[in-house]
Amino acid sequence: MTHWTISVIHGDGIGKEVCAEGVKLMEAVAARCNHTLSFHEYLAGGAAIDETGVPLPDETVAGVLASDALLFGAIGGPKWENQPQHLKPEAGLLKLRKELGAFANLRPALVYDELADASTLKREVVQGTDIMVVRELTGGLYFGEPRGVEGQGASRKGYNTMVYSAEEIERIARVGFQTAMARDKRLCSVDKANVLDVSQLWRDIVIEVSKDFPEVALSHMYVDNCAMQLIRDPKQFDVIVTGNIFGDIISDEASQLTGSIGMLASASVGGPVGFFEPIHGSAPDIAGQGIANPLAMIGSVEMLFRYGLKQNTEADMINAAVRKTLADGLRCGDIMQEGCTKLSTSEMGAAVIERL
Ligand code: IPM
Ligand code: MG
């Protein structure tokens, strides 16, 4: 029997609704496997701005750092869109990633056979797709200095800097290779080395690191080609490793192979405490209606057990329950298909727990 302390950040929009299902699932899994959990809630994003004036209070960072893992809902919404950049909800999320040292973001895009028709692409193209995007999360264009907007009138200019040190590239490349070693041993490094200097360094370092992983078949692809190949023939990919901005874009694209962004989980690891969040965001258009798909959150709980608490049995148990739920024809609105039963957020959460 083990005890874990879990931080929970609901955030904004559907974050609260899906987090509730994540917590119920964790409790159910812990009860079945004789673990105990305590949950501590913290503020971030718009909810934190409303209560404290900042998107990431110090108390949140301290609390999360003292816990074993963080379950994160989603942040953002139209209410805070006109805040200055550093006081937007998104700034809180970026700061949290940085403070937690969570430099490696794992985003699996797995097409369940049952949902192969839910994608806008043809079944024969997507069926069998199983990709892991490893996105660098605390560097690159998102954090590079200098950045800003200056000047007046027509000569006003805005700029950001895409910068990676050899050290940053090496550590994310290692996560890419290690991830590939635990899967099909194929790694595709995505860059823009034909144009960007920072990408040429990226490529050189990835090649150096590959010498430590002779069993992994390494390939390189330019990001524009990757965007095309992902929808042309997604099955050619096993693990993709890439920088922050390219990974942001490529992972949204990969999500559509699976039928809905409401299916995609993520893990942000590399620092002392991992954090686990669905990639769908706060979806203000459907917030509060109880119709959001909690499967991305449920997948995030699976990743929390696997990568955060290092409990594969529990993670496998959740995965099997999700497969069973889909096989039984249960769906939320975003993945609804003819002949299936449409469930609300909490009904879907309960259906998965029933099948544990
Ligand atoms: C994501 C999101 C975030 C990002 C936003 C909300 C800051 O799009 O997690 O992919 O750009 O990283
Ligand atoms: Mg994104």
Side-chain angles (χ1 to χ4, degrees), residues 32-33 36 41 71 106 112 114 131 148 159 171 241 312:
R32 274 175 187 64
C33 301
T36 53
E41 289 180 16
L71 191 67
L106 310 180
Y112 291 101
E114 289 81 6
I131 302 172
Y159 50 92
R171 68 180 183 180
V241 65
N312 286 331

Side-chain angles (χ1 to χ4, degrees), residues 75 90-91 93-94 97 105 107 135 137 142 244 247-249 251-252 266 277-279 281:
I75 48 122
E90 287 77 3
L93 177 58
L94 298 187
R97 290 172 176 170
N105 184 216
R107 298 189 161 188
R135 169 190 178 193
L137 202 59
Y142 275 56
N244 208 340
D248 179 44
I249 299 165
S251 63
D252 263 33
S266 81
E277 64 175 314
I279 83 161

Side-chain angles (χ1 to χ4, degrees), residues 45-274:
I49 295 170
D50 289 352
E51 279 221 11
T52 69
V54 293
L56 187 69
D58 292 342
E59 191 196 314
T60 297
V61 177
V64 172
L65 280 171
S67 70
D68 294 303
L70 166 63
L71 191 67
F72 190 95
I75 48 122
K79 182 173 173 195
W80 306 281
E81 261 167 27
N82 296 321
Q83 296 268 113
Q85 207 70 343
H86 70 285
L87 290 178
K88 283 185 178 160
E90 287 77 3
L93 177 58
L94 298 187
K95 183 162 177 235
L96 185 61
R97 290 172 176 170
K98 198 75 171 173
E99 296 271 352
L100 294 185
F103 70 86
N105 184 216
L106 310 180
R107 298 189 161 188
L110 174 71
V111 176
Y112 291 101
D113 276 354
E114 289 81 6
L115 295 186
D117 291 314
S119 171
T120 49
L121 299 182
K122 293 193 192 89
R123 169 179 274 272
E124 57 268 32
V125 173
V126 297
Q127 194 168 20
T129 296
D130 181 359
I131 302 172
M132 179 69 88
V133 178
V134 177
R135 169 190 178 193
E136 200 291 326
L137 202 59
T138 55
L141 196 54
Y142 275 56
F143 292 91
E145 300 280 351
R147 60 186 297 165
V149 178
E150 61 187 38
Q152 296 298 323
S155 60
R156 238 175 3 143
K157 58 179 187 183
Y159 50 92
N160 289 84
T161 305
M162 191 154 165
V163 54
Y164 273 117
S165 67
E167 203 179 356
E168 285 175 303
I169 300 168
E170 183 183 335
R171 68 180 183 180
I172 193 69
R174 288 196 184 278
V175 176
F177 281 104
Q178 283 153 1
T179 307
M181 280 301 288
R183 294 172 43 109
D184 201 34
K185 301 192 171 62
R186 290 179 292 130
L187 179 66
C188 179
S189 171
V190 171
D191 62 36
K192 189 70 186 173
N194 51 345
V195 177
L196 303 176
D197 301 284
V198 57
S199 277
Q200 187 57 54
L201 180 68
W202 177 282
R203 194 174 278 216
D204 294 345
I205 303 283
V206 171
I207 291 171
E208 269 172 39
V209 174
S210 73
K211 296 183 185 128
D212 292 342
F213 298 89
E215 285 173 60
V216 175
L218 172 67
S219 60
H220 304 274
M221 202 178 266
Y222 298 136
V223 63
D224 49 346
N225 186 26
C226 177
M228 178 182 75
Q229 296 296 337
L230 266 175
I231 50 172
R232 195 187 70 85
D233 176 21
K235 277 173 279 197
Q236 69 183 284
F237 296 104
D238 174 25
V239 179
I240 292 175
V241 65
T242 190
N244 208 340
I245 185 73
F246 298 157
D248 179 44
I249 299 165
I250 289 296
S251 63
D252 263 33
E253 189 188 8
S255 78
Q256 276 310 302
L257 304 168
T258 71
S260 167
I261 198 165
M263 296 298 297
L264 258 80
S266 81
S268 302
V269 295
V273 182

Side-chain angles (χ1 to χ4, degrees), residues 277-319:
E277 64 175 314
I279 83 161
H280 50 54
S282 60
D285 52 322
I286 58 162
Q289 300 175 35
I291 57 170
N293 185 352
L295 288 175
M297 172 52 82
I298 287 168
S300 303
V301 170
E302 176 189 334
M303 294 188 93
L304 189 154
F305 276 105
R306 197 180 301 285
Y307 300 103
L309 306 178
K310 311 270 187 250
Q311 306 294 312
N312 286 331
T313 313
E314 289 73 1
D316 293 344
M317 191 169 145
I318 296 171
N319 189 276

